[in-house]
Amino acid sequence: MTTTVNAFWATAPDEPLSKTTIERRDLGPKDVLIDIAFAGICHSDIHTARNEWGGTTYPVVPGHEIAGTVAAVGDEVTKHKVGDRVGVGCFVDSCGECEACKNGDEQYCTKGVVQTYNSSTYEGEFTHGGYSQQVVVTEDFVLKIPEGVELDVAAPLLCAGITLYTPLKHWGAGPGKKVAIIGMGGLGHIGVKIAHALGAEVTVLSQTLSKESDGKRFGADHYYATKDADTFRALRGEFDLIINTVSVNLDLDSYLGLLAVDGTLVELGVPEHPLEIKAFSLLANRRSIAGSMVGGIPATQEMLDFCAEHGIGAEIEKISADEINAAYDRVVDSDVRYRFVIDTATLAD
């Protein structure tokens, strides 16, 4: 028997999100029904709701930063029980058979990972996300949220947290490594916290010094303004790893010049125009440029456990459901420190 729940969805690119009701599927033997407590607002929610990347199927309920508690489980569920604190991230299914899935990198599933929203399941259904009261997810794609982190600040970790944790771990951020984070926004501030907890020497590269006190509080050892031309002279050849969290087209040649021998710049943002670099920016110092996209289920669970152990959560502003549209505009205007999280209890109003 399907369940009817309140939700907020987008119905067209140029229309505000509005309240509605949606049907959640019957609870299958391997399924988990989650009472959603909080849903983070990711900038990709906005891109999708406004069809800025193309490919949006309307109407759609956004939200892939989901935190809540288990309300019911299917007869064959073994990993979760009623009352457990759990989360759901960017995807809710994969083929489980390809090399990527077997390696725990479900985000790179060769058959095509099933996104938490705006995606077709292998059975031909359409997924709706976390701006709702409940969600049904197969148990293998439900994460445990440890007691060491509150649900509200944990919600953004399901996307922003794993988006930063994966490249920091993959490229070896840790003691003796110098890491720079470009941008101190919704992604960057979590990257600073995680890189610091991993033991790296952390530098923030931001347009101005307006958030320097925050950056130092989150664990940054150094903070530089990229509007200052002296920054690029002073830091030339300095870093082992640079993580770019901003979605604007930067002068990448200047940033590549900050890498030490064998250093890597990892692109996380999705700017409007193609990336442009000069070949000599890579040839010098044997530098690399790479990309990274969220993380698989094992890595996401590892990240949540790590964040709980080190007391890491997102810096958030909690909002009610009727504030979603205003929050979208504020995210676009960079007017949030540092993530909006929807209190889904307000959907019952």
Side-chain angles (χ1 to χ4, degrees), residues 161 164-165 168 190-199 303 306-307 312:
L164 272 298
Y165 185 81
L168 287 168
I190 296 177
V192 171
K193 291 185 177 187
I194 292 175
H196 172 74
L198 287 169
M303 176 275 302
F306 178 87
C307 287
I312 295 173

Side-chain angles (χ1 to χ4, degrees), residues 4-348:
T4 301
V5 299
N6 292 336
F8 255 69
W9 66 9
T11 57
D14 54 354
E15 292 293 329
L17 276 72
S18 57
K19 191 173 182 179
T20 188
T21 59
I22 59 172
E23 299 295 320
R24 292 301 191 184
R25 71 170 186 258
D26 294 344
L27 195 67
K30 291 285 189 180
D31 283 340
V32 177
L33 174 64
I34 300 169
D35 285 333
I36 300 173
F38 300 100
I41 291 179
C42 176
H43 206 140
S44 59
D45 297 348
I46 302 172
H47 290 308
T48 302
R50 297 177 177 177
N51 200 29
E52 293 169 347
W53 289 341
T56 301
T57 299
Y58 296 100
V60 60
V61 177
H64 58 208
E65 297 179 341
I66 299 169
T69 56
V70 175
V73 298
D75 294 340
E76 298 178 14
V77 170
T78 61
K79 297 180 179 180
H80 309 283
K81 63 183 186 302
V82 173
D84 283 356
R85 293 155 38 93
V86 295
V88 178
C90 297
F91 45 88
V92 292
D93 202 3
S94 71
C95 78
E97 299 173 353
C98 69
E99 200 65 28
C101 287
K102 290 178 179 178
N103 290 336
D105 289 322
E106 296 93 344
Q107 72 274 27
Y108 302 128
C109 175
T110 56
K111 185 175 180 180
V113 71
V114 177
Q115 304 286 343
T116 304
Y117 65 89
N118 193 46
S119 186
S120 293
T121 69
Y122 298 139
E123 295 74 33
E125 299 176 349
F126 184 72
T127 60
H128 287 300
Y131 297 7
S132 58
Q133 293 176 302
Q134 292 182 318
V135 67
V136 177
V137 180
T138 185
E139 68 168 336
D140 289 340
F141 290 82
V142 176
L143 289 307
K144 296 183 182 296
I145 298 179
E147 291 293 339
V149 57
E150 296 299 322
L151 290 179
D152 53 358
V153 300
L157 299 180
L158 275 302
C159 175
I162 189 59
T163 296
L164 272 298
Y165 185 81
T166 298
L168 287 168
K169 288 283 288 187
H170 183 82
W171 278 278
K177 296 291 186 179
K178 293 185 176 181
V179 175
I181 306 290
I182 303 175
M184 253 281 291
L187 290 175
H189 87 284
I190 296 177
V192 171
K193 291 185 177 187
I194 292 175
H196 172 74
L198 287 169
E201 181 178 336
V202 185
T203 297
V204 174
L205 302 174
S206 186
Q207 280 190 304
T208 70
L209 300 179
S210 63
K211 299 178 182 177
E212 182 175 13
S213 60
D214 281 355
K216 296 293 182 67
R217 179 164 57 89
F218 300 152
D221 300 285
H222 315 286
Y223 202 107
Y224 288 88
T226 56
K227 280 189 174 180
D228 185 348
D230 289 338
T231 291
F232 291 93
R233 288 190 287 268
L235 299 179
R236 188 161 187 83
E238 183 76 8
F239 302 108
D240 302 295
L241 177 64
I242 300 175
I243 306 289
N244 182 19
T245 71
V246 302
S247 290
V248 297
N249 287 94
L250 300 176
D251 178 3
L252 289 180
D253 295 298
S254 295
Y255 286 92
L256 286 167
L258 306 182
L259 289 171
V261 173
D262 289 329
T264 301
L265 187 154
V266 181
E267 183 73 24
L268 301 184
V270 184
E272 180 181 359
H273 303 292
L275 306 181
E276 294 185 3
I277 57 172
K278 297 175 182 176
F280 279 112
S281 297
L282 297 177
L283 301 180
N285 277 4
R286 200 163 54 206
R287 301 169 180 131
S288 300
I289 185 167
S292 180
M293 185 174 69
V294 293
I297 295 300
T300 306
Q301 188 61 64
E302 179 183 303
M303 176 275 302
L304 289 169
D305 295 341
F306 178 87
C307 287
E309 178 184 352
H310 293 274
I312 295 173
E315 303 292 314
I316 66 168
E317 181 178 334
K318 275 191 283 193
I319 63 169
S320 61
D322 61 7
E323 296 176 285
I324 291 173
N325 290 299
Y328 271 27
D329 291 336
R330 287 181 57 192
V331 170
V332 172
D333 292 338
S334 299
D335 180 26
V336 55
R337 290 193 177 182
Y338 284 85
R339 301 285 286 200
F340 285 115
V341 171
I342 304 162
D343 180 353
T344 57
T346 60
L347 283 166

